[in-house]
Amino acid sequence: YKRQAEIRSLVLENEPGGDETDLSDEIRAKSLQGIVVSDKGGGNQQPFIVILADDTQDAGAGLALSISQSNNTFERGDIVEVSLSDASAQLFSGLLQVSTHNEPMLVGQTEPLAPIAITADKIAQYESQYVKIENTQPEASESGTWNSDSNKGNVSMETKDGKSYKIRTLQTASYAQDAIPTDKSGSIAGIAGIYNGTLQILPCNGDDIQLAEARFTVPVSYTHLRA
């Protein structure tokens, strides 16, 4: 199912902006087919968004699809096909989103895709794909729960190689009120995204947060710019 990569690059050639942009006849003549990687039950995506990806480790092979909320009955591993006959696209705070009023159809099922291990600096390239960051921990300043009044669902994370990104948690997420394991490190999986230039990962559910090891120290050579 290498369809997301093709459609994604065609959509980007239409140069969508912050407002909905009608897509070309070439795109509207196509159907999109992909494997669902978002987890509706986990509650950490808007209910009208389904995230589709190709079965590949390559970047640029995922797409956020905005559909009628009542049509979003899909689970991870479902293979979904939808006509793009009325499709539009926009960059929602920088994140590419394709919208259609057509009803997506379930055309098959497969094993849910495993997360692709990437480094944090590659998050934007893997936008709307299911990824995993290893050797990561909450920054020392973090406390409380994954979504609280003080952090509004944005938790700063760091990696052993000195990179940073945010974990984004909606109030509706199943794990939103869980305590952030501030004294631990480990791995984080989720849907790669970008918000106004900030790299972020949206865990699909609490199982994507695997922080159970001791914290590490980020080597000084990474944290200070050399003179």
Side-chain angles (χ1 to χ4, degrees):
Y1 305 100
K2 294 226 170 160
R3 306 289 288 280
Q4 266 55 237
E6 175 198 355
I7 300 283
R8 183 182 182 88
S9 56
L10 284 172
V11 169
L12 288 171
E13 284 172 18
N14 281 222
E15 298 184 352
D19 298 320
E20 295 234 342
T21 305
D22 286 345
L23 294 175
S24 65
D25 291 344
E26 180 190 8
I27 296 171
R28 287 186 163 187
K30 295 180 184 292
S31 288
L32 178 66
Q33 190 180 90
I35 302 167
V36 176
V37 290
S38 47
D39 173 19
K40 191 180 176 199
N44 202 29
Q45 287 285 347
Q46 298 292 349
F48 53 85
I49 296 285
V50 60
I51 311 267
L52 301 176
D54 298 326
D55 185 3
T56 177
Q57 302 273 310
D58 297 341
L63 207 53
L65 187 67
S66 174
I67 59 174
S68 159
Q69 187 172 327
S70 58
N71 287 340
N72 188 8
T73 56
F74 304 111
E75 297 183 5
R76 299 164 101 171
D78 285 353
I79 302 169
V80 169
E81 187 165 349
V82 64
S83 162
L84 298 176
S85 64
D86 66 345
S88 60
Q90 72 179 114
L91 294 176
F92 188 78
S93 299
L95 183 87
L96 180 64
Q97 205 165 284
V98 173
S99 303
T100 177
H101 297 291
N102 293 326
E103 184 177 354
M105 295 300 171
L106 179 67
V107 295
Q109 280 170 313
T110 185
E111 278 291 305
L113 295 181
I116 305 162
I118 65 169
T119 51
D121 55 332
K122 299 266 175 38
I123 288 173
Q125 294 165 45
Y126 281 85
E127 180 188 302
S128 294
Q129 285 171 266
Y130 184 42
V131 301
K132 178 162 74 169
I133 308 287
E134 293 164 329
N135 297 315
T136 189
Q137 65 193 12
E139 289 188 359
S141 57
E142 293 295 351
S143 63
T145 59
W146 290 106
N147 185 305
S148 66
D149 288 344
S150 57
N151 66 25
K152 301 286 188 275
N154 295 292
V155 173
S156 297
M157 302 290 290
E158 61 188 6
T159 63
K160 211 174 224 174
D161 54 359
K163 299 181 172 72
S164 59
Y165 64 98
K166 302 259 192 211
I167 291 187
R168 174 81 185 130
T169 302
L170 307 185
Q171 286 180 317
T172 49
S174 57
Y175 67 91
Q177 297 312 307
D178 293 355
I180 302 165
T182 48
D183 58 342
K184 302 285 190 227
S185 73
S187 71
I188 297 282
I191 306 296
I194 189 162
Y195 183 82
N196 290 335
T198 300
L199 300 176
Q200 57 180 23
I201 286 189
L202 286 84
C204 294
N205 54 53
D207 293 341
D208 277 344
I209 299 170
Q210 297 288 336
L211 299 175
E213 298 155 39
R215 281 180 75 85
F216 52 77
T217 303
V218 178
V220 172
S221 60
Y222 286 121
T223 54
H224 294 100
L225 292 173
R226 291 189 181 88

